[in-house]
Each structure stands twice: as structure tokens, then as C-alpha cells.
Amino acid sequence: MTSPVIGLALGGGGARGMAHIGVLNVLERHNIPIHCIAGTSIGALVGAGYSLHPDAAQLHTRITEFIHSPKFQKAGLSRFTRKEPAENFFGQVAKYVKQRIVINLAHSKLSVVSSERLYKIISFTLENRNIEQTEIPLAIVASDLFSGEAKTFTRGSIRKAVLASASIPGFLPPVTYNGHYLVDGAVTEPIPVRAAHELGANIIIAVDVGQDVLATQHATKNIVDLMFRTTSITAGNLRNLLLEKADFVIRPDVGDIHWADFSQFDRLVELGEQACERVVARITEAYKQRRSLVYRLTHRENQS
């Protein structure tokens, strides 16, 4: 039996991903080591920041500065925070594009804004380093539009990989990187449990900050609503299948917070802490038991 390797799988969910910081706070507080991190979309941004400098308080400060920076304000995410909810993350993007972009523009362009805006935000938050230079092994997941598969990056530019992982279809254009045509990792792997396993984790903690679309019931008023609902069901089933392969699942209660509402930062961090506190005792026990078992087996082999 191998030694315990704890891996974090940080899922996508826009602003709700700030709850990941709360999870990191609690894991640090309880002295639970993090041996590797896999991230999708906002989980890639948070995971990359922590992998470079494993200090949750420092990451908290850096993200706060990022949210209040002029570069972030220019990103235009606030235009999405309308009261009328869509079924899921990509549904809201599609509704915005449908309502605000004229048909001719939609036919001639791939996105509402350029990648430069997001790249400036990423550059403000993350150092210009390669993934293999992080203090904690890191995997960043994006989605390949040509193959339809998840693409996992464990080498190369952190900034470019995060850009690809967080490129929301319709809002941001696909990213061409290493011969791949990439969009948001949440399209194929909303919670990167597989990527964490490939990094060598044998105790996987998955953090799900997405909406539980299968638990919501909205009336379908038209064809567009019907299409959004059916794609939401597919996304929800995919999310649940991925979570089945995790050892522990942390679900912060963030469903009522809009995916683009970063003004709820402090509340999101607190909700992440609360959710992690509910399962941290079991994580600690599992880690101790595995360490103890490995020690006993190793000691027995040395004596024989």
C-alpha cells in the first residue's frame, strides 16, 4: 500500500469558486496536507494561485485585490448579474448573447469580449511561471472543441492554461494552445476528479461549487428554455458521475449566489469554510488511518 496522497479537485462555477478559498483555510487550520491540486475554470485560477504559494491567507489577499482592481471591473462580468436566473452557468451566457448581440454580430464573431481582458486579470493574479514550477503539483483542465475531450495541462504556461480553462463559450473566444482549440474546462470536466487521480492522489477531496440543476424545477416557457433545461440535465448528470469517484465531496451552499457576483466574496469564503468543517473530521481520520496502516505494513516488512 502506498502512502496517502491527498488531492484537491476544485470545480468550476464562476464567482462561487471563491468558496474554494474557504475550503483551503479550513484544511490549513486542521493541518491536512495537500499533495496535489487539479482545477477547472475558476478552480484552475484558485488552484494555480495556491499551488504557486501554499498560503490561503496570502491567496485571500491577492484575490481580494484582484476583485477590486480596475482590470477586473473592465472585464464586464457585472452585466450578467441580472435577477432572472438561467438554468446553469452556460445558459446565462447564452441568454445574454441572445438578448444583447445582434444576429449579424453573432454570426461573424465567436465571443462577446476578447481574451485579452481575462488574460490581464489572470496576469494580475498569477505569476508568469510554468505549471511544473509550482510548489504543489498542479493540473489544469480545459475542453478541446475538436476532439470533444478534456485536455489536462501539467506543463507549460500557467497563465495560458488557466485562460483556456476559464474561457466561457460565447463570452470569451476559444484559445489555441499547443495545437488544441480550447474552451472552459467545465464543458467536459466540471470537477476534475480524474485529473487529481492522474496526479497520483489516492484520497481525493472534490469541491463542488456549481448549482444542483437536477434539484431545481423551472417552467419551460419556450423552445429556448427547453433546450437550456435539457443541457442542464446532461451537465448535472456528468457532474454527479465525476463526484462518485471522489473520496470526499465538499458542497458549499452557494446555489443562491449568481455565478458572476464577486461582490459576495466574503460570504462565499465563509460558506466554503462551513462546508469543509462539516467533513474535515472524516478527512483527518481517513488520512491518519492510511498513514498508520502504511507504517504498520512497512514496519512488518522490515522485521521479516
Side-chain angles (χ1 to χ4, degrees):
M1 175 177 285
T2 58
S3 298
V5 178
I6 296 179
L8 279 184
L10 304 180
R16 300 184 190 112
M18 297 300 96
H20 291 319
I21 298 174
V23 171
L24 291 167
N25 283 338
V26 172
L27 294 177
E28 279 191 3
R29 194 179 304 146
H30 288 267
N31 298 313
I32 295 176
I34 300 170
H35 300 108
C36 58
I37 299 175
T40 289
S41 198
I42 191 67
L45 179 66
V46 174
Y50 192 79
S51 293
L52 283 167
H53 302 286
D55 184 323
Q58 180 179 333
L59 180 62
H60 187 288
T61 300
R62 190 62 175 159
I63 295 291
T64 301
E65 292 175 353
F66 142 68
I67 290 172
H68 292 94
S69 70
K71 290 181 180 179
F72 174 76
Q73 301 303 323
K74 290 180 181 178
L77 287 175
S78 60
R79 72 186 71 177
F80 286 92
T81 55
R82 300 195 312 271
K83 292 184 178 180
E84 181 184 358
E87 284 291 326
N88 63 11
F89 182 82
F90 298 114
Q92 289 194 349
V93 176
K95 279 193 174 182
Y96 174 79
V97 173
K98 174 178 176 290
Q99 293 172 1
R100 299 298 179 94
I101 305 300
V102 296
I103 294 177
N104 288 339
L105 179 60
H107 278 294
S108 62
K109 292 192 175 183
L110 290 173
S111 64
V112 177
V113 298
S114 70
S115 292
E116 292 180 4
R117 292 191 186 183
L118 178 58
Y119 192 77
K120 288 179 180 178
I121 291 172
I122 293 170
S123 298
F124 183 90
T125 310
L126 302 175
E127 300 171 20
N128 189 19
R129 305 272 293 278
N130 284 342
I131 298 172
E132 59 269 30
Q133 295 176 305
T134 58
E135 292 190 31
I136 297 175
L138 173 68
I140 295 173
V141 178
S143 301
D144 191 317
L145 278 179
F146 289 157
S147 69
E149 298 176 344
K151 173 61 180 175
T152 304
F153 293 97
T154 55
R155 301 183 64 83
S157 168
I158 288 180
R159 290 177 176 177
K160 197 68 181 284
V162 171
L163 176 66
S165 182
S167 287
I168 308 167
F171 182 61
L172 291 157
V175 174
T176 301
Y177 184 44
N178 286 353
H180 298 275
Y181 200 48
L182 304 165
V183 294
D184 199 297
V187 172
T188 53
E189 200 163 324
I191 304 172
V193 176
R194 174 199 56 81
H197 178 74
E198 290 180 353
L199 284 174
N202 49 35
I203 298 177
I204 297 177
I205 304 169
V207 186
D208 179 9
V209 293
Q211 279 184 309
D212 187 1
V213 295
L214 299 180
T216 60
Q217 295 184 5
H218 296 297
T220 51
K221 301 176 182 178
N222 50 49
I223 293 174
V224 175
D225 284 346
L226 180 62
M227 292 173 65
F228 287 156
R229 180 59 183 172
T230 54
T231 57
S232 295
I233 291 171
T234 301
N237 285 326
L238 172 60
R239 184 180 297 271
N240 290 338
L241 283 172
L242 294 171
L243 289 173
E244 287 178 1
K245 299 183 182 300
D247 297 282
F248 298 96
V249 177
I250 298 174
R251 281 194 175 100
D253 187 16
V254 296
D256 64 326
I257 298 176
H258 195 284
W259 69 266
D261 189 3
F262 284 86
S263 69
Q264 299 277 347
F265 177 78
D266 290 335
R267 182 184 171 210
L268 285 160
V269 172
E270 182 179 353
L271 290 171
E273 291 181 344
Q274 292 173 359
C276 191
E277 286 287 1
R278 290 193 288 268
V279 300
V280 71
R282 292 192 290 117
I283 296 172
T284 301
E285 184 62 24
Y287 179 64
K288 288 181 178 179
Q289 285 184 357
R290 191 175 183 102
R291 284 187 63 188
S292 177
L293 181 57
V294 170
Y295 173 79
R296 291 199 303 270
L297 290 174
T298 303
H299 186 66
R300 186 180 303 166
E301 289 175 359
N302 290 337
Q303 287 184 328
S304 60

